[in-house]
Amino acid sequence: MSAVFISYSHTPLKLKKKALKLAEKLNEIGLTTTIDHYKLKIGNDIDRFIEDVSNPEIYTHVLCLCTKDYYIKSRNTQTGVGKEIIQIEKLI
């Protein structure tokens, strides 16, 4: 089964809403998607969740919604996006 991990910036809020809508649409057409808003809950191991991005047994595709905010956050390895980029680079 193929699964898609969606990486995006939570800012601006308008983008976050679009990312959630995209995940819903992809699910509707039969693609399994993972987006933190739905899968990551309080008390979950955030670092483990992010490390799974580079596990091909879990995700066959990674979709990055790149914006200026995303790019800025991707340069900081302390942000969620920055940590996700480290994992995504392992796939290249």
Side-chain angles (χ1 to χ4, degrees):
M1 172 172 28
S2 33
V4 179
F5 182 89
I6 301 175
S7 178
Y8 67 102
S9 173
H10 286 223
T11 56
L13 183 58
K14 182 178 178 180
L15 176 67
K16 180 178 179 179
K17 290 178 181 180
K18 286 183 179 186
L20 297 174
K21 190 170 202 148
L22 175 61
E24 291 170 8
K25 292 290 184 190
L26 292 174
N27 282 326
E28 286 174 12
I29 64 169
L31 291 172
T32 302
T33 62
T34 295
I35 191 164
D36 61 355
H37 182 81
Y38 294 123
K39 298 286 184 177
L40 193 57
K41 304 297 179 196
I42 294 174
N44 289 147
D45 184 345
I46 296 170
D47 290 331
R48 180 69 201 168
F49 177 81
I50 292 172
E51 286 171 9
D52 285 345
V53 172
S54 62
N55 184 341
E57 294 179 12
I58 299 174
Y59 301 110
T60 54
H61 297 81
V62 177
L63 177 62
C64 300
L65 304 181
C66 298
T67 61
K68 184 177 180 179
D69 285 347
Y70 185 92
Y71 174 78
I72 291 167
K73 289 179 181 183
S74 74
R75 309 309 340 136
N76 180 350
T77 59
Q78 300 305 306
T79 67
V81 169
K83 291 177 181 181
E84 288 172 7
I85 290 298
I86 290 170
Q87 298 305 313
I88 292 166
E89 288 176 341
K90 292 179 181 180
L91 299 170
I92 300 171

